[in-house]
Amino acid sequence: MDSPLLLLFHSQRSLSLIPLLLVHRMDAHHQFDGMPPHKRAKNEEETSVESEVDRISDLPEGVLHHLLSLMPAHDAVRTCVLAQRWRHLWRSAPAIHFTNCKGFSSDDRFNQFVDCVLLLRRHGAPLEKCYFEILLDNSLSDDAQRHLSLWIWHALRLQVRVLRFCPDTEDYIRLPERPLFSQHLTRLYLISVTTNDSVLDFGGCPALVYLRMVDCDISSEKFSSSSLKHLRMSCCLFHNYSRTRMSLPNLVSLKLDHFVGRTPFLESMPSLVTAIVKIGYYSSDRCENGGSDDCGDNECEGCRYYYGSEDDRRQCVILRALSQATALDLSTDTDALVFKMDLKWCPTFSKLKSLVLDNSFVTDDFGALIWFLRHSPNLEKLTLEISGVHKISAGTEGRYDPFEQSLASDHLELVVIKCREVDGMVLTVLKILNVSGIPLSKIHINKRSSSDCFNFVCTDFSSK
């Protein structure tokens, strides 16, 4: 029976190699020599010999390795039939990129091929990148899922530096409850996987600095790394009734957007510089009775399970950890409790220079906007993104006393208000900014509609 690697060459090997050979072979009779196209050169025999010279094989090994790294794994392996020099080159290419190939008779054959490529990797050859970007059957058995997930650990044993595990599937791939260990891994990409406390304890990966997770099920109580500097998490699923605690003391940049479930509890991040936090519509931190605080209703799961424990009632969930950042972008698609509750406990944002807030912070009482103006003494740029058209209810202006507001930052040079219409909401915001010590000349309004977009500098906030 043919081995999985030999199966690659069945019926397709010559087709895949033809373009490669045509590009890199020199055919002397194709060079312009002033002769009519139908005539042949006098030294026809010498020309024929020159046309067979394999010039690509004479390239330095580093160049050939680079070429192999640009190919999908099944094409890279096929090059072993080109010439004697190519026989084992694919085994030491600095990058392996696994993608689906129609040349395999079944998914099992493809899986065997991946196993063999990882097993036959030349010992000691440095592996810079390993990508698993494959389309998987949605009806995978538990055994099949475990088998596929173990490819991550196989790649780590090959001392890979950049690992991307991105299966295209509607189901989550459940990772085994075993930690990741690698002295070499620096960047990790995970898509559509279910994690656990063991996997998200990155103590065994001291060189890891970048982690991106998309559409992952975070079935973990803790998430920790002392080396991680950049974290991107999009559309991930967290617990509904408890918070995942994140301990990332050396994090420099954070992006956490449109997740499902409870907002994770962020521990101290003294090195943080930039953060983007967007709480989506499916956040569980939402009062079912429409309250902006703990409503006290035991039937309201949003408030009932807001705090993970009694100790958490005396702590910020997320804003305190962001207080050392110099640039923040905060927004929510719903009336989330997290930001409102955190404002009660959060300290001053002493390093903050750039702040972006959406209209969830510009509510009828304008408390959150006023709070940030008071607690950001070094703010240089403020951007307010006000979506939709709003009406201010009667008596709204009486809910805040502009004369009690502390002045905004002396460093504030620009305020940008992005809106669809200059409505009552925008006019009230202009008044708050003006009485807080911000000259109208520093306020720019970016008005957008379905057909145009223009900017203008504010000179008056009269509703007339």
Side-chain angles (χ1 to χ4, degrees):
M1 180 180 295
D2 291 339
S3 69
L5 290 181
L6 291 177
L7 291 173
L8 288 171
F9 312 120
H10 179 65
S11 76
Q12 295 193 28
R13 63 181 182 183
S14 58
L15 292 177
S16 65
L17 297 177
I18 287 175
L20 186 64
L21 294 172
L22 289 179
V23 169
H24 297 286
R25 286 185 173 175
M26 297 291 294
D27 293 330
H29 64 276
H30 286 166
Q31 298 178 4
F32 179 74
D33 57 5
M35 299 179 64
H38 63 280
K39 294 183 179 180
R40 304 180 68 87
K42 294 181 180 180
N43 52 347
E44 181 176 352
E45 183 177 350
E46 294 180 4
T47 302
S48 177
V49 172
E50 290 183 6
S51 67
E52 297 299 324
V53 175
D54 182 6
R55 301 199 182 275
I56 189 173
S57 294
D58 292 334
L59 292 172
E61 187 171 283
V63 176
L64 299 182
H65 276 155
H66 179 70
L67 293 174
L68 291 172
S69 296
L70 300 177
M71 302 179 185
H74 51 268
D75 284 335
V77 173
R78 286 183 178 129
T79 62
C80 69
V81 301
L82 284 174
Q84 182 65 27
R85 189 185 179 193
W86 291 82
R87 185 172 182 182
H88 299 293
L89 275 177
W90 64 271
R91 296 176 56 194
S92 52
I96 306 175
H97 189 178
F98 293 107
T99 60
N100 289 87
C101 175
K102 295 181 180 179
F104 294 96
S105 58
S106 66
D107 290 342
D108 287 340
R109 288 288 194 181
F110 175 75
N111 295 342
Q112 292 174 22
F113 164 70
V114 175
D115 291 340
C116 285
V117 170
L118 296 175
L119 178 65
L120 296 176
R121 173 76 182 180
R122 179 168 290 172
H123 180 70
L127 181 58
E128 184 67 25
K129 302 176 182 178
C130 187
Y131 295 168
F132 299 91
E133 297 177 327
I134 53 181
L135 177 63
L136 298 176
D137 188 349
N138 293 328
S139 60
L140 290 174
S141 66
D142 291 344
D143 288 341
Q145 289 202 33
R146 282 192 292 270
H147 176 79
L148 299 181
S149 67
L150 288 175
W151 288 343
I152 295 176
W153 280 265
H154 290 320
L156 293 180
R157 282 199 290 269
L158 296 175
Q159 301 181 359
V160 65
R161 295 182 180 276
V162 180
L163 176 59
R164 185 191 298 268
F165 187 75
C166 307
D168 185 358
T169 175
E170 294 181 1
D171 295 333
Y172 293 111
I173 301 298
R174 290 182 294 277
L175 301 183
E177 292 200 22
R178 52 190 297 188
L180 303 178
F181 287 102
S182 173
Q183 299 294 317
H184 305 273
L185 184 67
T186 61
R187 301 173 72 90
L188 177 61
Y189 302 77
L190 296 174
I191 294 181
S192 300
V193 302
T194 296
T195 65
N196 49 70
D197 287 338
S198 296
V199 171
L200 292 185
D201 178 2
F202 291 102
C205 299
L208 183 66
V209 295
Y210 183 96
L211 173 62
R212 177 166 176 77
M213 303 181 72
V214 178
D215 191 27
C216 292
D217 181 2
I218 312 299
S219 299
S220 313
E221 297 292 335
K222 296 180 180 180
F223 180 169
S224 61
S225 171
S226 59
S227 62
L228 197 65
K229 294 184 181 297
H230 308 282
L231 174 62
R232 304 286 184 269
M233 301 183 73
S234 301
C235 304
C236 290
L237 174 63
F238 289 92
H239 291 292
N240 278 325
Y241 304 111
S242 62
R243 299 193 187 280
T244 300
R245 299 183 71 93
M246 292 187 175
S247 177
L248 308 168
N250 289 304
L251 203 67
V252 174
S253 68
L254 169 68
K255 184 175 182 181
L256 183 64
D257 68 303
H258 294 92
F259 52 85
V260 179
R262 295 287 172 183
T263 307
F265 187 100
L266 303 184
E267 297 183 1
S268 177
M269 297 178 178
S271 302
L272 191 68
V273 176
T274 62
I276 300 173
V277 180
K278 299 182 181 294
I279 300 180
Y281 179 80
Y282 295 101
S283 167
S284 298
D285 294 315
R286 180 174 54 171
C287 178
E288 297 177 359
N289 296 319
S292 60
D293 204 333
D294 188 347
C295 66
D297 184 358
N298 288 331
E299 299 299 322
C300 175
E301 292 188 354
C303 295
R304 179 182 178 186
Y305 296 102
Y306 180 82
Y307 298 104
S309 67
E310 200 61 35
D311 291 338
D312 290 342
R313 291 182 176 273
R314 296 187 294 272
Q315 302 181 60
C316 265
V317 172
I318 193 169
L319 283 184
R320 185 183 297 276
L322 306 182
S323 63
Q324 299 300 309
T326 59
L328 283 180
D329 185 343
L330 307 176
S331 66
T332 175
D333 292 341
T334 183
D335 190 17
L337 292 173
V338 174
F339 294 130
K340 295 177 182 178
M341 300 288 280
D342 275 7
L343 291 178
K344 300 177 181 179
W345 308 102
C346 196
T348 299
F349 285 77
S350 59
K351 299 180 182 179
L352 190 62
K353 294 184 178 181
S354 176
L355 175 64
V356 179
L357 300 174
D358 75 343
N359 53 264
S360 62
F361 293 87
V362 190
T363 54
D364 282 354
D365 60 7
F366 302 96
L369 173 60
I370 295 171
W371 189 96
F372 275 105
L373 290 175
R374 284 178 172 177
H375 293 80
S376 305
N378 293 301
L379 191 64
E380 297 177 358
K381 181 181 179 180
L382 172 64
T383 302
L384 302 176
E385 299 179 344
I386 302 177
S387 60
V389 180
H390 307 268
K391 292 184 178 180
I392 302 298
S393 56
T396 295
E397 295 187 16
R399 299 180 190 179
Y400 68 93
D401 186 349
F403 298 104
E404 292 183 359
Q405 312 306 321
S406 59
L407 293 177
S409 167
D410 294 335
H411 304 280
L412 191 60
E413 293 296 328
L414 178 63
V415 177
V416 179
I417 301 177
K418 298 181 179 181
C419 60
R420 287 179 53 192
E421 298 291 342
V422 181
D423 55 12
M425 175 76 76
V426 175
L427 294 176
T428 304
V429 169
L430 290 173
K431 292 180 181 180
I432 293 175
L433 296 175
N434 191 236
V435 299
S436 296
I438 304 173
L440 293 179
S441 60
K442 293 184 177 181
I443 303 175
H444 293 206
I445 296 180
N446 184 322
K447 184 175 178 294
R448 299 180 179 182
S449 65
S450 58
S451 58
D452 55 19
C453 174
F454 58 90
N455 300 282
F456 57 90
V457 178
C458 182
T459 58
D460 185 19
F461 50 78
S462 172
S463 58
K464 295 182 179 181

